[in-house]
Amino acid sequence: MSINKIAFRNVFRQRRRSLLTALTMTGGFVLLSFSFSIMDGTYETAIQKFTKAYSGHVQIHKRGYLDKRSIYSTLNESDNIESGFTDIPEIENWTKRVFSPSLAFRDKKTSAASIIGIQPLNEAKTTSLSDTLKSGTYLPEIPSGNVIIGERLAKILDAGVGGEIVLIAQGADGSIANEIFRVSGILKGGINSPNSLNCYMHIKTAQDFLALYGRYHETAINLTHYSASEAVAEKLRTLVNNDEIDVEPWEVVQKSFYDAMTADKEGIWITVTILAVIVGLGVLNTVLMTILERKREFGILKALGTTPFQIFRLIVQEMLTLSVLAVILSCLLSLAVNTVFTIYGIDYPEPVSIGNIEITTMHGIITFRSFWVPSLLVTGTAFFVSIIPAAMAALVQPVKAMRAS
Amino acid sequence: MKEIIRTEKVTKIYRTGEIEVAALRDVSVCINEGEFTAIAGPSGSGKSTFLNIISGLDHPTSGDAYISGSRINDISGTKLSDFRRDNIGFVFQSFNLIPVLSVTENIEYVMLLQGIPRKERSERVAAILSEVGLEGMENRMPFQLSGGQQQRVAVARAIVTSPGIILADEPTANLDSATGAALLDMMKKLNKKKNMTFIFSTHDRNIMDVSRRLIVLKDGRIEKDEVRG
C-alpha cells in the first residue's frame, strides 16, 4: 500500500464524477489529436503536391541565382555535379532546367512568357508536369521545335495544339533570340496556376535558342520524402564542395509558401489553448468538489500524522491518475479516429488552394505529435489545475476540518 | 510513575467576530504513563478541546502543554505531524477509517507513514488483529463492517505503533451498550498488557466507572479530579 494506491482507489470513489471528468479530458484529447492529424495531413498533402508540381525537394543553383534570376548565373554541364547523386539513398530523381523571360506573340496577340527548358524524361520522373497536360502531347525526349504552354498563355495568344507561336528573348551572347515554335500541348491551370504563362521546351532547344551552350540554371531533385530535404541538402553541399554553388532545400527555395504554411500552422495553438481551458475547468470542478466533500477526511489523515505534503501529493496524484487513465483511453480512440480519416479523408465541398495547389480531400496523418501534445495538455492541465486546491487541502487545520460534516 | 502529559494553566478562547468563548480556563493537569483516564463533563465543558490541545491538533491561547517532556506549543507543521504520528494514537467517535482501504490497510496506514518495512507491518497487523478479535476480516472494507468492528479497527490502528498515548474522543458514543462494553473491556486489557496511557473524553457512565482516574470539566474548568484505587 502507498499514497499511489490510495490515490488510485480514490479515483473510483465517485465513479460518475470521475467518468465525466475523464470524458472531458478524453474529448479534449481526441479533438486536439484530430486537429493535429488533419492539419498535418493537409499540409503533408500540400507540400507533397507543391514540391512535386514545381520545385522538387532540393535545388542546386549558381550562388545568388535565387535572389537575382540572371540568365548569366549558370552551372556548367561539364562540372557533372550529378555524378555523386546515386550515392545518396534519399535521392529518387533529378532534372536540369534553363530559364528565361521572353515575349510571345501570335498574329497580333502578344504576351509575356517564361521559357523553361527541361529534360522531358527526367522532368516527368521528378515533377508532375507531364500529368498536367490538358490537351496535346508531352515533349519528346529528343530536341525539337515543340513547346507546351500554359492555358492562360494559350488563351491570350489564341493558340491551340498544332498552332505556331513566336518567342523573342535575349540570348546569353547579347543577341536577340527569336524563333517559331509549334505548340504540342497545353497545360491545365487557371489564372493562378504557376504554369499559366510558362512555355516549356527541350533543354537543348532552349540552350541553343538562348545561346547557353552546355550551361543551365537549376537542378531540381526529388527525394523519398520531403522531410529529408535539409539533411540531403547538407550532404549535397559536402558533395559539391563549391562556394560558388548554392544547394537549398525546398523550405528556402519556396520560402514564401513555407513561411505562409508555418504561420498558418501556428493557429493550432489557439485550439490548444481553448481545449486546455475546457479540460482545466472540468478538472477544477472535480478537484474542488473532492476537497469540499473530503475536508473531514483530510483532517483525520492529518491527525493520524499525514504531512501536508503527503496530502498535497495525494490530491495531485488522484488527478494525474485520472488524467493518465483518460490519456490511455484517448490514445486508443484517437488512433481509431485518425486512422479512419487517414484512410478515407473528407472531401471539401469546393477545392481549397494552398500555395496555388488545389486540395480536394482533407486527409489525416498519424504522427507522434498528434498524441504527445494532447497527452501533455491533459496531464499538464490536470496537474496545474490541481495545485492550488491540493495546497488548500494540505493546509487544512485538522480540528476545523474534522468538525466539517 | 513517569509523567507523560502535563498542562499548565491552559486556556483556550474561541473568537467568532467580537464574541469570545472560553472553552478551557487555566486547566493544569498531570497524567502519568499507563493511566486509564476519563475526561467527563456536559457538552461544551471543554473535553474535546482539552484532547485537541494535548494532541497538538489545536494550540492553547495561553498556558503550556507538554507531551513526554516536549512543549507542544513549540512544534508546528511537518514536525507536528510527525510528532502526532509517533506519539499519539487516535480513536474517534465516528470511527473515521479511510474508506478506500481494507481493514489490514487501515491498520497499516500509520506504519506506512512511519516508513516501517512491509514484512514488519504485516507481522504487527496479524498480531493486533488477533488482539482486537478481527481475525478473518483482514480484507474487508470499512463499509462491510459493523460499527463495533469499525471501532475495533480504529483501536487497532491507534495502538499498532505502540504510541504511548491513546486519545479516544467519545469512542463508544456510536455503539450499542453491549458493543461499547466489549470495546471498553478490550481497551482496558490493552492498557494493562501494554501499559499504554488511555485518555477518553466521554459521557459514557461505563467508561467513567472503569477508569482509574476521572477528571470532570465544567465550563472549561476542572470541577473534579479523582483517582480511584
Side-chain angles (χ1 to χ4, degrees), chain A residues 1-3 5-6 9-10 13 296-297 299-308 310 398-399 402-403, chain B residues 14 52 57-58 78 81-82 84-85 90 92 94 96 98-102 105 108-110 112-113 157:
Chain A
M1 194 212 8
S2 62
I3 295 283
K5 196 170 178 181
I6 298 171
R9 289 185 189 174
N10 277 333
R13 274 169 81 172
R296 180 182 169 80
E297 186 178 313
I300 290 157
L301 290 175
K302 286 191 88 173
L304 293 176
T306 312
T307 61
Q310 285 167 325
V399 172
M402 284 194 289
R403 282 198 205 109
Chain B
Y14 291 109
N52 289 339
L57 290 176
D58 209 350
T78 302
S81 298
D82 293 345
R84 273 198 300 269
R85 183 194 68 193
F90 287 94
F92 302 100
S94 47
N96 289 334
I98 301 169
V100 294
L101 300 183
S102 67
E105 290 164 342
E108 272 187 309
Y109 182 73
V110 180
L112 178 82
L113 298 178
R157 179 177 66 186

Side-chain angles (χ1 to χ4, degrees), chain A residues 328-397:
Chain A
I328 293 168
L329 173 70
S330 305
C331 281
L332 296 172
L333 262 174
S334 293
L335 187 64
V337 171
N338 295 351
T339 302
V340 167
F341 281 95
T342 299
I343 295 169
Y344 299 106
I346 314 167
D347 288 335
Y348 288 110
E350 292 287 329
V352 295
S353 177
I354 301 175
N356 290 324
I357 292 293
E358 280 195 347
I359 310 278
T360 54
T361 308
M362 192 164 38
H363 277 287
I365 188 172
I366 295 174
T367 58
F368 182 54
R369 127 175 145 138
S370 63
F371 290 91
W372 78 257
V373 174
S375 299
L376 198 66
L377 171 91
V378 168
T379 49
T381 305
F383 175 74
F384 284 112
V385 167
S386 59
I387 283 178
I388 290 176
M392 285 161 57
L395 297 174
V396 294
Q397 290 186 3

Side-chain angles (χ1 to χ4, degrees), chain A residues 206-221:
Chain A
Q207 285 168 332
D208 291 346
F209 180 59
L210 298 166
L212 283 169
Y213 311 108
R215 289 183 286 161
Y216 62 101
H217 295 111
E218 177 175 289
T219 300
I221 299 164

Side-chain angles (χ1 to χ4, degrees), chain A residues 25 283 286-287 290 315-323 382 386:
Chain A
M25 292 174 174
V283 175
T286 302
V287 75
T290 297
I315 306 285
V316 172
Q317 192 111 3
E318 283 177 29
M319 288 304 118
L320 284 178
T321 302
L322 187 60
S323 65
S386 59

Side-chain angles (χ1 to χ4, degrees), chain B residues 43-70:
Chain B
S43 294
S45 60
K47 305 186 295 294
S48 295
T49 305
F50 182 73
L51 287 196
N52 289 339
I53 284 174
I54 62 173
S55 63
L57 290 176
D58 209 350
H59 287 290
T61 308
S62 64
D64 299 309
Y66 297 88
I67 296 182
S68 304
S70 300

